[in-house]
Amino acid sequence: MAHYETSTLIDTLLSGNNLLLSLRGPDLDMLKPHLRALQAPSNSVLYDPGQSVQTVYFPCHRTLVSFLVSTEDGSAVEALLVGREGAVGGIVSQGNLPAFAKIAIQTGGDLLSIPVNVLDECKLRSRAINNLFSRYADCLVAQMFQTAACNAAHSIEQRTAKWISAAIERSGSREVPLTQERLAAMLGVGRSYISRVIGTFKRDGTLAVRRGHLVVKNEDQLRARACSCHEVVKEHFHAVLKGVYPET
């Protein structure tokens, strides 16, 4: 991962993270001197399980980050997807505690970062900052609950459509750099199942496939094939943190 920063660049990246942008005036000014910019390629790892969480990362613009939980067969199933609406690392808990899940870059791009201990100090000094991250932690937990229910109750086709819908909304791009093999692993299903689902989506004009990329051709058809879980998560975001989740 490459680190780089200027005050102008920090301001530019701030415009690409809705969670930080929801802060105003002195509260945002309190964080800005401590923010650092970096670029991270797809598949790079921010945290491995057990690693001490010392930095909070804010995905900017099209960057997507996944929380991945390892299974006995060595695969990694996605528990959470985070984009410009949020942050990863040291959010639900405070202090330098060990990471439970692997946190990896799903779609490479820009991020802002801040040390966990600095953010904790700012939470103590600012009621608005503390309130913002407490509410965001609630949204993360709600998303995890919904993911668990979705995995148990819905078909592979519904879950695939839901995941792609969530990815394009968070990134603002209809093109998702992701192989079918990796999507299958993240959803915890066999590669052959995903191939059949993607084949159906291709035939009806919902998706196109390029090398290593899924391209959404018809968003309405994609949403029609998805379960309602993503919409439930969005509604909770809007109720708890109005304006933070990306509007489509």
Side-chain angles (χ1 to χ4, degrees):
M1 291 183 287
H3 292 258
Y4 60 104
E5 60 268 337
T6 66
S7 58
T8 301
L9 180 59
I10 296 296
D11 287 338
T12 298
L13 295 188
L14 276 171
S15 70
N17 183 274
N18 295 355
L19 187 66
L20 288 173
L21 273 186
S22 66
L23 292 170
R24 295 292 181 266
D27 298 304
L28 184 57
D29 290 341
M30 189 184 300
L31 296 180
K32 280 179 66 174
H34 306 287
L35 293 171
R36 297 293 180 265
L38 64 148
Q39 284 187 325
S42 299
N43 304 322
S44 56
V45 176
L46 298 177
Y47 288 109
D48 282 311
Q51 186 177 355
S52 178
V53 177
Q54 299 181 3
T55 304
V56 177
Y57 296 95
F58 302 88
C60 299
H61 301 296
R62 296 185 176 185
T63 306
L64 297 175
V65 180
S66 291
F67 285 68
L68 302 166
V69 179
S70 297
T71 60
E72 291 181 353
D73 64 1
S75 60
V77 178
E78 185 182 81
L80 281 172
L81 181 68
V82 178
R84 53 185 168 151
E85 83 288 349
V88 300
I91 300 301
V92 176
S93 58
Q94 293 183 323
N96 298 335
L97 299 178
F100 177 77
K102 180 178 182 178
I103 304 178
I105 303 297
Q106 180 61 243
T107 301
D110 296 312
L111 302 98
L112 288 168
S113 69
I114 190 170
V116 169
N117 61 339
V118 172
L119 181 58
D120 286 345
E121 290 173 6
C122 291
K123 289 178 186 177
L124 294 175
R125 294 166 54 195
S126 166
R127 180 177 297 178
I129 293 174
N130 185 64
N131 183 57
L132 175 69
F133 284 94
S134 294
R135 286 174 176 268
Y136 177 63
D138 177 86
C139 291
L140 282 183
V141 173
Q143 188 179 344
M144 286 188 285
F145 286 161
Q146 196 66 41
T147 297
C150 182
N151 290 346
H154 296 133
S155 69
I156 296 172
E157 178 177 297
Q158 289 174 308
R159 290 165 56 202
T160 301
K162 178 205 70 172
W163 191 94
I164 299 171
S165 294
I168 66 173
E169 286 191 3
R170 284 174 163 95
S171 67
S173 171
R174 287 190 172 197
E175 186 167 336
V176 182
L178 183 70
T179 64
Q180 294 181 46
E181 182 177 9
R182 192 166 176 210
L183 178 59
M186 287 196 306
L187 295 179
V189 300
R191 172 71 166 78
S192 60
Y193 291 106
I194 289 296
S195 295
R196 287 198 291 271
V197 169
I198 297 300
T200 299
F201 289 177
K202 286 170 61 180
R203 286 191 295 273
D204 69 11
T206 301
L207 293 179
V209 177
R210 299 174 187 163
R211 176 172 289 186
H213 291 72
L214 302 174
V215 183
V216 177
K217 308 297 288 186
N218 190 317
E219 291 185 48
D220 290 337
Q221 286 182 189
L222 183 67
R223 292 192 182 96
R225 290 185 174 277
C227 57
S228 63
C229 291
H230 179 50
E231 296 303 318
V232 171
V233 170
K234 285 170 59 178
E235 287 174 8
H236 190 72
F237 258 98
H238 292 323
V240 176
L241 284 173
K242 186 175 178 61
V244 169
Y245 194 90
E247 299 288 345
T248 56

